[in-house]
Each structure stands twice: as C-alpha cells, then as structure tokens.
Amino acid sequence: MVDERDCVVAQLPRAEVHGRGLLHRAVHVLVFDTAGQLFLQKRSMLKDQCPGLWGTSAAGHLDAGESYDSAAVREFAEELGLRPPPLERLFKLPASRHTGWEFVWVYRCRCDGPFQLNRMEIDEGRWFDLRSLQVQMEREPAQFTPSTRHVWREYRERYG
C-alpha cells in the first residue's frame, strides 16, 4: 500500500487492498513483435478481477520491497514463460479509478515468442494488428480490462 505520492506506507494482503480501494503499485508490459503487432493475454476465468477480459501482454502488482523494474521482469517471466528481452520504461500513470487505484509504470519490448503461457493466469494469448485492436477497443470496450484500455489510450497519445 502506498500514499498519494507513491511512497510505501504499509503492507497488506492483496484482497484487502483491492477490497478497500487502497492505493498500490503495478506494472504493465506491452510486447510487440517484429511485424509491429501487440501481444495481449486473455485473463483466466479463475481471476478475481476482470476474468475473461483481454489484458496487456504481462502485468501485475509489485511484491513487498520490489522495484517497478524488477516487477516488470518478474511478471514477464511468470506470465509468458520466457526471460524477457530488455524492457524499455515508457511512462508512469497516476493511481485512479482507471487503473484500479494502482500507480502504474508501463514498459515495452520487442519479442516474437514463442510464449509458454501461465495457464493459472492466462486462458489464451494473441497477436493484434494495431489498427484492428483500436477498432475492436472502440466497438467492444467491455472485452478489455479498464486498465488495459487506459494504458493503450495513453500509449497511443504518447507514441502514436
């Protein structure tokens, strides 16, 4: 748990942090292939938050005492089953309802896979052409997690 300046103030169980809408930290990684497509994961139906919705390539909360950078590397490896290529730190989003009250650092990398998806977390993964992805997000936003829509909107505004 963090304060409004993203300074750690306590360590609480994930369920309590989410249940009470407390500020906390997370990372999102956007993985692009050499053709410029974006890999997205469909969250497992076993997830307590946004089951069955499309999410960023890899994402997750920071563990106690963990840095944003190390969390991004860990989440990539845990969810996609590979040691990540160098991750580029892009931008930080403030905690808000759009991010689920998470301060979020967004990263990007280039990687063609193949991935070994963590089946406890991910039901499927797919490469999306960026134009098709944008159309699908506009037509069917409820298929994507709120944080993924927010990250993607910010990414497009900053990087086209």
Side-chain angles (χ1 to χ4, degrees):
M1 186 179 126
V2 295
D3 64 15
E4 64 281 347
R5 294 181 317 273
D6 193 19
C7 296
V8 175
V9 294
Q11 293 179 23
L12 297 170
R14 179 186 178 283
E16 185 175 350
V17 170
H18 275 271
R20 293 175 48 198
L22 302 173
L23 302 180
H24 55 294
R25 295 173 166 173
V27 294
H28 285 261
V29 181
L30 301 174
V31 179
F32 295 89
D33 67 7
T34 52
Q37 298 178 106
L38 177 62
F39 184 82
L40 295 182
Q41 60 165 276
K42 191 171 217 179
R43 293 170 59 83
S44 168
M45 292 304 291
L46 303 174
K47 298 292 257 180
D48 65 341
Q49 301 264 320
C50 302
L53 299 185
W54 287 100
T56 54
S57 310
H61 297 105
L62 275 67
D63 290 337
E66 188 175 36
S67 71
Y68 282 101
D69 291 348
S70 62
V73 168
R74 177 182 53 75
E75 288 292 345
F76 185 105
E78 284 179 6
E79 295 185 357
L80 302 180
L82 295 176
R83 180 176 169 84
L87 300 178
E88 177 186 5
R89 193 189 252 204
L90 296 179
F91 54 88
K92 186 178 184 183
L93 296 172
S96 70
R97 65 180 172 82
H98 300 294
T99 64
W101 306 111
E102 297 168 345
F103 285 94
V104 175
W105 264 104
V106 178
Y107 296 78
R108 114 177 119 185
C109 68
R110 187 164 310 278
C111 183
D112 290 321
F115 303 119
Q116 299 296 318
L117 303 180
N118 180 336
R119 295 296 173 193
M120 296 299 294
E121 304 224 7
I122 303 169
D123 279 347
E124 70 176 281
R126 192 170 99 206
W127 293 102
F128 285 80
D129 168 83
L130 302 187
R131 181 171 293 156
S132 300
L133 173 62
Q134 185 61 33
V135 169
Q136 189 171 346
M137 274 198 192
E138 289 170 2
R139 288 186 180 161
E140 301 178 74
Q143 289 186 357
F144 300 87
T145 69
S147 59
T148 297
R149 292 193 312 264
H150 187 58
V151 165
W152 182 243
R153 185 171 39 252
E154 287 291 324
Y155 180 84
R156 285 183 40 91
E157 285 180 14
R158 296 167 192 248
Y159 300 97

